[in-house]
């Protein structure tokens, strides 16, 4: 199955990824716009949706609901141009800890 | 939880047979689920090896890419960069297969991101800066890394969910359902024996009464 990648992020990030060859960029400026666009994107056949950590944090519930059970689409959060966000907890680390029961060195 | 039992069971031979069957099934299910859990955890550890540092790589690469992008924007102006970006040709093709790990469908991505020369990217050279070439190259590399990371993280999330639910089922069987069945079987056996003894005594009494 061949499929495509979409970028849902702030305009600068979208420009960057366009340069990198990902044509389906959806620049958004605020969270409402982001949420609506995300819902549309999921209905379409994108298999990987790249978004920024900021958007990801705001739309956590929507994302979780939409992606929890199925393998596709994959939504991946990346840092935007201001660099990685400072997070109190590392969500991946937390998950691994919960499953294995001990902290893994990452 | 010494004597937890299933409520509302008649102490009859019929029920005893049924319960014994159920217990056998539960034990079999338990050992199967346990095997499944172990296999899943093994798979999980394998994938953990791959996730190590892969997020850091992405973050680092992106940081470089954004630096170059900003530089390009400074040199050429924001609009010019956007214009150049619009004309870039699609570079990444992903093939998504799925693979089943113990019934969990996880994605398997095969990406063909080809390294391109500047000419293949498709924007003009007359009005673009060298920084934009750098930025494009770095974004291409980061996209490749991001796709890889996406696959790994998604797999981890799916596996983790399955491991959790399997664990819960194993524990429920081991600590609640099997002991409960066990206790009920024991209870019925004891009741039946007791009834047999009562009967025996009754017979003796009747015999004695008839003899005297």
């Amino acid at each position: 199955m061949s499929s495509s990648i979409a970028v849902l992020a702030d305009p600068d990030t979208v420009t960057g990824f366009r340069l990198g060859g990902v044509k389906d960029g959806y620049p958004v400026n605020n969270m409402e716009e982001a949420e609506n666009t995300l819902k549309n994107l999921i209905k379409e056949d994108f298999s990987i949706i790249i978004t920024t950590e900021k958007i990801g944090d705001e739309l956590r519930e929507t994302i979780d609901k939409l992606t929890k059970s199925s393998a596709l689409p994959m939504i991946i959060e990346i840092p935007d141009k201001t660099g990685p966000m400072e997070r109190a907890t590392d969500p991946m680390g937390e998950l691994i800890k919960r499953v294995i029961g001990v902290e893994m060195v990452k | 939880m010494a004597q937890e039992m299933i409520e509302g069971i008649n102490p009859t031979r019929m029920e005893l047979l049924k319960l014994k069957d159920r217990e056998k099934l539960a034990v079999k299910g338990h050992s199967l689920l346990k095997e499944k859990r172990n296999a899943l955890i093994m798979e999980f550890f394998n994938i953990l090896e791959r996730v190590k540092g892969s997020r850091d790589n992405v973050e680092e690469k992106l940081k470089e890419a954004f630096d170059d992008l900003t530089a390009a924007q400074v040199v050429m102006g924001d609009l010019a960069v956007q214009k150049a970006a619009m004309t870039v040709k699609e570079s990444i093709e992903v093939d998504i297969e799925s693979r089943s790990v113990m019934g969990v469908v996880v994605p398997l991505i095969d990406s063909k991101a080809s390294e391109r020369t500047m000419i293949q990217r498709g924007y003009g050279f007359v009005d673009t800066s060298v920084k934009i070439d750098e930025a494009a190259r770095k974004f291409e590399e980061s996209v490749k890394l991001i796709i890889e990371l996406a696959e790994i993280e998604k797999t981890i999330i799916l596996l983790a969910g399955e491991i959790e639910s399997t664990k819960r089922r194993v524990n429920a069987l081991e600590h609640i359902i099997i002991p409960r069945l066990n206790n009920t079987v024991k209870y019925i056996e004891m009741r039946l024996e007791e009834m047999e003894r009562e009967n025996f005594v009754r017979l003796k009494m009747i015999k004695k009464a008839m003899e005297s």
Side-chain angles (χ1 to χ4, degrees):
Chain A
M1 190 175 83
S2 192
S3 46
S4 46
I5 311 173
V7 181
L8 172 75
D10 55 283
D12 276 343
T13 310
V14 169
T15 308
F17 278 99
R18 280 208 178 117
L19 273 179
V22 182
K23 293 305 294 180
D24 293 296
Y26 296 85
V28 289
N29 292 310
N30 56 51
M31 287 306 155
E32 276 167 47
E33 217 178 306
E35 189 167 358
N36 291 333
T37 318
L38 180 66
K39 279 177 184 156
N40 287 335
L41 287 184
I42 284 170
K43 274 181 219 137
E44 284 171 46
D45 259 352
F46 290 110
S47 45
I48 302 174
I49 298 173
I50 300 172
T51 186
T52 60
E53 285 179 347
K54 279 196 188 109
I55 296 177
D57 267 6
E58 291 289 327
L59 303 182
R60 176 74 49 217
E61 275 178 32
T62 321
I63 291 178
D64 279 352
K65 205 166 59 197
L66 292 167
T67 57
K68 191 147 230 176
S69 49
S70 59
L72 295 174
M74 285 172 254
I75 296 183
I76 179 138
E77 292 156 31
I78 52 147
D80 58 11
K81 65 180 174 209
T82 54
M85 274 170 72
E86 294 290 324
R87 280 185 168 153
T89 55
D90 167 23
M92 266 298 142
E94 284 286 299
L95 185 71
I96 291 164
K97 198 175 146 190
R98 208 171 64 218
V99 169
I100 304 297
V102 286
E103 197 130 14
M104 295 288 298
V105 190
K106 247 185 108 176
Chain B
M1 58 171 256
Q3 293 306 321
E4 259 199 67
M5 293 192 319
I6 299 164
E7 301 283 319
I9 291 275
N10 295 325
T12 61
R13 234 161 250 289
M14 202 53 208
E15 290 287 350
L16 183 66
L17 285 176
K18 261 194 223 160
L19 276 176
K20 277 190 172 163
D21 274 352
R22 269 176 71 187
E23 196 187 348
K24 228 182 265 168
L25 187 70
V27 170
K28 202 171 165 192
H30 176 243
S31 69
L32 278 175
L33 276 175
K34 225 165 148 181
E35 264 170 46
K36 178 182 174 186
R37 185 194 62 187
N38 291 346
L40 279 173
I41 288 181
M42 243 161 67
E43 195 72 29
F44 197 72
F45 274 113
N46 283 343
I47 204 104
L48 280 186
E49 288 293 310
R50 286 174 61 200
V51 80
K52 264 182 214 161
S54 131
R55 179 148 277 269
D56 293 339
N57 278 345
V58 168
E59 277 171 10
E60 206 172 301
K61 199 45 118 186
L62 269 177
K63 196 173 168 301
E64 286 172 25
F66 277 122
D67 283 349
D68 279 329
L69 180 68
T70 315
Q73 279 168 339
V74 169
V75 175
M76 295 162 52
D78 198 6
L79 273 177
V81 173
Q82 271 183 32
K83 198 180 83 189
M86 290 297 227
T87 55
V88 173
K89 291 196 199 89
E90 188 94 40
S91 75
I92 285 103
E93 250 181 71
V94 280
D95 270 335
I96 300 205
E97 307 279 335
S98 55
R99 175 172 76 105
S100 168
V101 185
M102 294 268 121
V104 193
V105 182
V106 298
L108 201 64
I109 304 180
D110 184 16
S111 65
K112 290 184 219 75
S114 45
E115 289 278 315
R116 297 178 301 176
T117 62
M118 279 181 271
I119 300 158
Q120 283 168 319
R121 288 203 184 107
Y123 51 80
F125 295 126
V126 182
D127 55 349
T128 53
S129 140
V130 67
K131 274 291 169 195
I132 208 169
D133 301 336
E134 284 286 300
R137 190 173 56 79
K138 283 188 181 142
F139 268 109
E140 273 166 26
E141 284 166 18
S142 2
V143 168
K144 222 156 130 189
L145 291 175
I146 287 171
I147 293 172
E148 214 180 291
L149 181 67
E151 179 195 340
I152 296 173
E153 288 201 341
K154 188 77 197 184
T155 309
I156 287 187
I157 292 172
L158 288 171
L159 277 182
E162 189 67 17
I163 288 176
E164 277 194 320
S165 69
T166 313
K167 248 185 178 172
R168 207 171 300 140
R169 279 152 83 182
V170 169
N171 285 343
L173 276 173
E174 188 173 328
H175 296 297
I176 296 171
I177 298 182
I178 292 179
R180 206 177 269 179
L181 284 170
N182 240 329
N183 288 336
T184 318
V185 167
K186 256 188 221 150
Y187 161 75
I188 294 181
E189 273 172 355
M190 262 160 23
R191 275 301 292 268
L192 287 177
E193 279 169 25
E194 187 65 25
M195 271 154 71
E196 214 164 293
R197 279 193 292 272
E198 271 171 24
N199 232 0
F200 186 69
V201 171
R202 204 172 290 134
L203 280 178
K204 284 272 184 200
M205 298 276 279
I206 293 171
K207 206 174 173 191
K208 220 181 197 172
M210 277 165 67
E211 275 171 8
S212 60

